[in-house]
Amino acid sequence: MKERYYPEAIEAKWQKYWEEKKLFRAEEDPAKEKYYLLEMYPYPSGAIHMGHMRNYSIGDVVSRYKMMQGYSVLHPMGWDAFGMPAENAAIESGVHPARWTYENIDTMRKQLKRMGFSYDWEREIATCDVEYYRWEQWFFLKMYERGLAYKKRSLVNWCPSCQTVLANEQVEAGLCWRCESEVTQKEFDQWFLKITHYAEDLLEYCDKLPGWPERVLRMQRNWIGKSEGAEIRFPMEDSEDAITVFTTRQDTVFGATFMTLAPEHPLTLELSRGTPQEGEVREFVERVKRQSLVGRTAEDTEKEGVFIGAHCLNPMTGAKIPIFSANFVLMEYGTGAVMAVPAHDQRDFEFAKRYELPVIVVIQPPDETLSAETMAGAYVDEGTLDNSGQLNGMDSLSARHVIVQYLEEKGLGGKSVNYRIRDWGISRQRYWGAPIPIIYCHRCGVQPVPEEDLPVVLPHDVEFSSEGGSPLAECREFVETQCPKCGGDARRETDTMDTFVESSWYFDRFASPRYNEGPLDKEKVDYWMPVNQYIGGIEHAILHLLYSRFFARVLREFGLVKDKEPFTRLLTQGMVIKDGAKMSKSRGNVVDPEYLVSRYGADTARMFCLFASPPEKDLEWSDQGVEGSFRFLNRVWRLVSENQHWIKGAKPSAGTPPLDQGLKILRQKVHKTIKKVGEDIERFHFNTAISAIMELVNALYQSKPKENGNPTERAVFREAVEAVILLLFPFVPHIAEELWEAIGKGESIIKNPWPDYDREAIVEEEFLVVIQVNGKVRDRVTVPSSMGEEEIKGVALEREKIRRLIHDKAVQRVILVPKKLINIVCT
């Protein structure tokens, strides 16, 4: 063993050893309990960043720990390989997306291997491989057969920079989630997956995922957005037609003084036709179309609208109310029409004030009487009905039920449930994605590609344009085909699938990545799924995680998987920040992991990521923190190297014969540390686990036996050193393997069981302390003999009986007679 710690040499050595011995190969062993550990797979951008390093280091700790516990562990890695950056590279530099992607995968695979992560590389997948996306096309066909995939013309979010459609979930604060360009609206024929079919089930199971962060579940509940209320029909003034609205506050219907329609609502233009307002309405509708759907509903967006030249009737009062079109009303929520009650809805209040529309108070709070003339804002809470006819004086909750009954009896509406979530639009007008397996025939219409003709392969020879759009539409060899029904001339669908489709089932494919008889080998999927622990960023709370839950339900109905929920536990790790901001190239605060590894080694990089902050919190970059991690590993190295020659020959301690007090305390420290580290890993408290190991190393430096020390001393010291190495292994595996070998161990640590603590060794001797207040005995307490003076004083002062006695007194002194009594002097 060398005197100094040289991480580069030992890390390469052990990475080669692990790979040659195939120590991380996952095997289905019915005799073992399985553990499926998965970090969200990366997009092959070309380089691993610090966020990747942190994420994968967290997962690797758990993977190695579970292997040592005897689980059959699946810890795979793959590539979310379709997407815009590859296509942009083709446009900017002339490199084909496939070449750009696979070259990046090669680079990033090397980087990940250099970190020593415990991946089963034999299961590696890339979603741009035909062998992968052919089964995605098969899923689409099965969904199409069941009505879960359909096409319709709709108003969609459009990114003018990416030249493609975005799902609502991909618009963040009115901007494209990829390029941050302002999103507008456009009408397209789009393919949708019917996620709304599972809305209630997805919502219900949010309460059955105890291993998920409540923050993520709350975001999903809000996105699904279940609202219970009523549909109410407002008759038109001059016809038999009516406008139907959905509301959760039917108790306020008496205060509806105008109606607002979404600009996309078909009645907006229809009712304005032939009126003096027609031109103004048309101009307003066209202008709003250029705004994003998400941006229109933002709180800081100015509320604006236009009168469309028509009126309807309030069904409860018979009052004639004007109909407006407003930018904040969306066609995709509810019915696209909103009864406006300005006294009790803030947006309606602001709109009414701007356009001088009447405000009628119909809900009075319990502690004051509101007046429309003096209101500074809407009153939105519960209360008592006012200006509501025979319902005056009724509480608002009761009034909702009464009004629903009335509406149903009169044929004017009734009870209704609405969801905010909308079906998932998956059509993308881009090249680098999975082709949608649909053919259009002018005779037979829309035809699914026959299963035997799958896969529909993405053509390689296409021309990319700087003007954007998909080159597939211009590729005659791809577009021109024959109708599978009549054999006549036909054309292929040229849209590709949203890349979130690939990531919605990749975790299933890892269970049988080389299976060719179908998308999944059910026996293997049943063994491995669900994922026991999933790790990734909070930014995927709605997009990827919700889509994955949807796909799990679909595949379960296909008989391919047994579980509704794909992930049992979820950890959302924090960001890596530097200089107070998230690391990014644009901010110039990026730290290159390759530089870190080449200078300090992978183990130091891993230790810093794991020690500097709890996984769920943001990690603040610190040069001093990295140096500190490196110094600690050097300290552990010296501890072993300086004592290696006699540690090898020392017999491990079993706690016998009886130990003197110093050795007993050391051995107690060892086994308390084993207990704590195991418990902390289970709770993802890696920073405190590492801190406990550091404390044990400090204790060892203070307890080193002399070279000619007695065998008992040597045995306890050897036991302690072995414990340090074993406990460090999940965090810093390379140096741990090297030290394990140095003390004479013959096989990889991965083959050794996780150490169990000696329950007898951690039992502390206790003694009784009498507690006096001003010299009089008031209580007694038993404390461990290792407890310090200040700790004992703290325990005494916190005793319930003592707190009651001194709560209104000033404590002057606390006198401790060691191992006998405490006297609290107070006045």
Side-chain angles (χ1 to χ4, degrees), residues 82 130 133 137 430-435 456-460 472 478 496:
F82 275 137
V130 176
Y133 71 73
Q137 294 172 340
R430 305 302 302 184
Y431 163 75
W432 194 234
V456 178
V457 179
L458 200 63
H460 190 275
L472 282 181
F478 177 79
T496 53

Side-chain angles (χ1 to χ4, degrees), residues 334-394:
T335 65
V338 176
M339 70 173 199
V341 185
H344 305 292
D345 182 277
Q346 188 59 32
R347 291 188 306 182
D348 295 345
F349 182 86
E350 294 172 14
F351 194 91
K353 290 299 182 184
R354 176 170 180 172
Y355 294 100
E356 299 181 346
L357 297 165
V359 177
I360 300 175
V361 177
V362 293
I363 304 289
Q364 292 288 358
D367 54 353
E368 63 175 312
T369 300
L370 299 176
S371 167
E373 291 73 27
T374 59
M375 290 179 75
Y379 176 71
V380 298
D381 295 328
E382 304 295 342
T384 304
L385 266 66
D386 191 15
N387 295 316
S388 300
Q390 295 181 344
L391 301 185
N392 281 350
M394 182 178 290

Side-chain angles (χ1 to χ4, degrees), residues 10 103 125 137 145 153 165 189 311 390 497 581 604 742 783:
I10 68 168
E103 287 179 352
I125 59 175
Q137 294 172 340
E145 288 175 10
R153 190 164 188 81
V165 168
D189 289 326
H311 294 80
Q390 295 181 344
M497 294 191 217
T604 295
V783 298

